[in-house]
Amino acid sequence: GAGVSQSPSNKVTEKGKDVELRCDPISGHTALYWYRQSLGQGLEFLIYFQGNSAPDKSGLPSDRFSAERTGGSVSTLTIQRTQQEDSAVYLCASSLAWDSGRYEQYFGPGTRLTVT
Amino acid sequence: AQKITQTQPGMFVQEKEAVTLDCTYDTSDPSYGLFWYKQPSSGEMIFLIYQGSYDQQNATEGRYSLNFQKARKSANLVISASQLGDSAMYFCAMREATDTGNQFYFGTGTSLTVIP
């Protein structure tokens, strides 16, 4: 079946503009995750969804970041008033429900965000 | 303290030889999980192997095995019979339970180069 897809693959935006990043998880995966990877760095965990709810938003870097998930499927990560330090690759992943005991995450190709 | 520590920024291995990538972790959660992911130059993160904290046996997946030493809080990845296609960044990661669900932490990665 299809893997995790993300759009756009690349986004260049001007400082101060808002951006929306989209993630389509693997069908049947109820858990969805957002990460950020800066150049040459590891992954920074931002937020996860179990179904449509995000129980812990503490990983979001600032209140300019928000995420939602509707219908237990597609998720959108929104960054308002973008700053240059927001430039990074934003990765989305999905996994089976945690009560399945299977936590391995399947990642999308990422969205490369450049704020000029 | 760092949740996940990978002390080898870069490693080289001769083709067909085995290599060990180090990972240590820090958690007080008795029920945690450890993962290894591979990130080739194409950028996509690929799940390799998972070890649960209560698993008695070391996890194995084909040429990958996880050397789990719980008392030392160590979860090294062993790749046997290295292939040129194994050249990539390798990330160690951990899931630990929180009051609101789960948190995921990634190390800074080890760059592996397989030499023909």
Side-chain angles (χ1 to χ4, degrees):
Chain A
V4 177
S5 60
Q6 292 185 249
S7 60
S9 55
N10 278 285
K11 177 73 177 178
V12 180
T13 190
E14 291 181 355
K15 178 181 170 181
K17 301 273 184 163
D18 297 352
V19 294
E20 278 191 359
L21 312 180
R22 177 188 166 107
C23 173
D24 256 297
I26 292 172
S27 177
H29 280 190
T30 57
L32 185 148
Y33 314 80
W34 284 99
Y35 295 89
R36 178 167 72 173
Q37 186 174 29
S38 301
L39 188 62
Q41 300 295 312
L43 271 65
E44 176 186 4
F45 176 58
L46 299 180
I47 192 169
Y48 75 86
F49 290 87
Q50 183 66 10
N52 287 337
S53 66
D56 187 345
K57 297 183 170 68
S58 62
L60 294 175
S62 75
D63 57 10
R64 296 185 294 104
F65 287 71
S66 63
E68 65 175 18
R69 188 179 186 194
T70 54
S73 181
V74 172
S75 176
T76 303
L77 178 69
T78 301
I79 309 172
Q80 295 179 308
R81 306 181 302 282
T82 51
Q83 303 293 313
Q84 287 183 330
E85 61 262 28
D86 299 334
S87 296
V89 176
Y90 289 81
L91 290 166
C92 174
S94 70
S95 73
L96 293 170
W98 288 327
D99 57 9
S100 70
R102 301 294 299 270
Y103 296 96
E104 60 264 32
Q105 298 174 23
Y106 295 87
F107 283 78
T111 293
R112 181 175 298 277
L113 176 66
T114 304
V115 182
T116 61
Chain B
Q2 290 285 336
K3 287 287 188 180
I4 295 287
T5 302
Q6 294 182 255
T7 57
Q8 306 154 313
M11 291 281 286
F12 292 85
V13 64
Q14 204 75 36
E15 192 179 5
K16 299 180 186 175
E17 294 193 346
V19 63
T20 298
L21 307 183
D22 294 342
C23 173
T24 57
Y25 59 92
D26 181 37
T27 183
S28 55
D29 175 17
S31 174
Y32 56 90
L34 298 155
F35 306 80
W36 278 92
Y37 289 87
K38 171 184 178 181
Q39 189 176 40
S41 56
S42 59
E44 197 153 341
M45 296 284 283
I46 302 166
F47 166 76
L48 295 178
I49 197 165
Y50 170 77
Q51 179 86 40
S53 60
Y54 295 123
D55 293 343
Q56 297 293 317
Q57 306 275 349
N58 284 345
T60 60
E61 291 283 352
R63 294 184 299 109
Y64 304 107
S65 60
L66 198 152
N67 184 359
F68 183 43
Q69 298 190 39
K70 196 169 182 176
R72 293 185 177 185
K73 294 190 174 178
S74 165
N76 297 341
L77 177 71
V78 181
I79 305 174
S80 63
S82 298
Q83 302 172 356
L84 295 178
D86 294 335
S87 293
M89 284 290 290
Y90 288 80
F91 292 95
C92 179
M94 178 176 69
R95 172 200 63 79
E96 69 173 11
T98 67
D99 292 342
T100 52
N102 288 281
Q103 279 282 347
F104 294 85
Y105 304 93
F106 280 71
T108 52
T110 295
S111 176
L112 177 67
T113 302
V114 180
I115 303 164

